[in-house]
Amino acid sequence: RKEVEQDPGPFNVPEGATVAFNCTYSNSASQSFFWYRQDCRKEPKLLMSVYSSGNEDGRFTAQLNRASQYISLLIRDSKLSDSATYLCVVNSPYSGGGADGLTFGKGTHLIIQP
Amino acid sequence: NAGVTQTPKFRILKIGQSMTLQCTQDMNHNYMYWYRQDPGMGLKLIYYSVGAGITDKGEVPNGYNVSRSTTEDFPLRLELAAPSQTSVYFCASKISGGAGNEQFFGPGTRLTVL
């Protein structure tokens, strides 16, 4: 059973384009949702939390659809520096995943081309 | 603040050897975590701690041990290293409980067991 599923990509996108990723989660009791960014051979870093009402941070927009249990990330006016792997992270209570029950997706690999 | 630091950055072990991966945070965070990340896979929780003197197993604890004698340090011990433990190990911390709080990651330790 895959608790957090993402399309691994890679997504090859020209600079300046808009790109969107989706992520689905299996635990309907999940309460907190995040997008982390991971550069090659580096540690994950929080990109943004995902709120029920949706939220925006500059060129990045995150949406949550609880009924369908999916989360999306939209990147507008993509930059070369956006090239990275984007990890979908979900709090899954009672999954045995630790104090917070955070479950990480495998990540979606994004390549922005000049 | 240095954040979360990990040593060593790289290590090659022979089968059956032991080692300790060090993790230190200077943010006075109560919660600390150890994850492993295999190529193309999501992070898997090994062990976690909610405070000094308290540790608990995560999803993949076999072959590892931890201790938490201080708030700052959370070392991970590998006994009898096996090739299956070849991975990148990330330590993380966060201020307290609450699934919405951000986890901060260290730069990782790349371990190869031959």
Side-chain angles (χ1 to χ4, degrees):
Chain A
R1 182 173 69 102
K2 296 182 180 178
E3 296 189 43
V4 177
E5 282 202 62
Q6 298 181 247
D7 182 342
F11 284 51
N12 289 283
V13 175
E15 192 176 8
T18 295
V19 60
F21 311 135
N22 286 336
C23 157
T24 59
Y25 61 95
S26 61
N27 191 331
S28 60
S30 297
Q31 299 164 2
S32 301
F33 310 89
F34 311 89
W35 285 102
Y36 274 73
R37 171 190 169 130
Q38 186 173 25
D39 293 303
C40 186
R41 303 177 76 83
K42 299 286 189 182
E43 72 273 23
K45 292 184 179 178
L46 181 66
L47 177 66
M48 58 197 305
S49 300
V50 186
Y51 303 122
S52 296
S53 55
N55 48 301
E56 188 174 307
D57 183 2
R59 298 181 293 108
F60 298 84
T61 301
Q63 297 277 356
L64 170 64
N65 184 319
R66 283 188 185 272
S68 301
Q69 294 182 203
Y70 81 77
I71 307 147
S72 65
L73 177 67
L74 182 79
I75 306 174
R76 290 181 300 278
D77 187 24
S78 54
K79 313 290 185 190
L80 294 176
S81 58
D82 294 334
S83 297
T85 297
Y86 291 83
L87 307 178
C88 179
V89 184
V90 175
N91 147 256
S92 299
Y94 318 118
S95 70
D100 300 319
L102 285 185
T103 301
F104 288 75
K106 296 179 182 180
T108 296
H109 189 40
L110 174 65
I111 301 170
I112 305 298
Q113 296 173 329
Chain B
N1 287 351
V4 180
T5 57
Q6 293 182 237
T7 57
K9 286 186 168 56
F10 306 93
R11 184 72 185 267
I12 298 175
L13 281 182
K14 293 182 179 177
I15 294 172
Q17 286 185 320
S18 301
M19 75 166 294
T20 299
L21 282 68
Q22 302 290 346
C23 175
T24 300
Q25 52 88 13
D26 63 358
M27 299 175 283
N28 203 30
H29 285 177
N30 292 314
Y31 284 52
M32 295 187 75
Y33 307 83
W34 274 106
Y35 295 92
R36 61 177 286 173
Q37 186 177 33
D38 298 327
M41 303 295 288
L43 278 74
K44 300 291 185 185
L45 183 66
I46 305 171
Y47 270 95
Y48 68 97
S49 168
V50 301
I54 306 169
T55 63
D56 208 346
K57 296 177 180 179
E59 186 180 354
V60 289
N62 291 344
Y64 308 94
N65 278 299
V66 293
S67 59
R68 184 94 182 272
S69 57
T70 67
T71 298
E72 295 78 19
D73 301 306
F74 190 40
L76 177 72
R77 178 82 178 162
L78 277 73
E79 305 281 2
L80 297 174
S84 61
Q85 293 178 304
T86 294
S87 190
V88 181
Y89 292 84
F90 289 104
C91 179
S93 72
K94 73 174 195 177
I95 182 69
S96 64
N101 291 334
E102 177 183 356
Q103 289 190 20
F104 294 83
F105 286 81
T109 294
R110 295 185 174 275
L111 175 67
T112 301
V113 182
L114 299 175

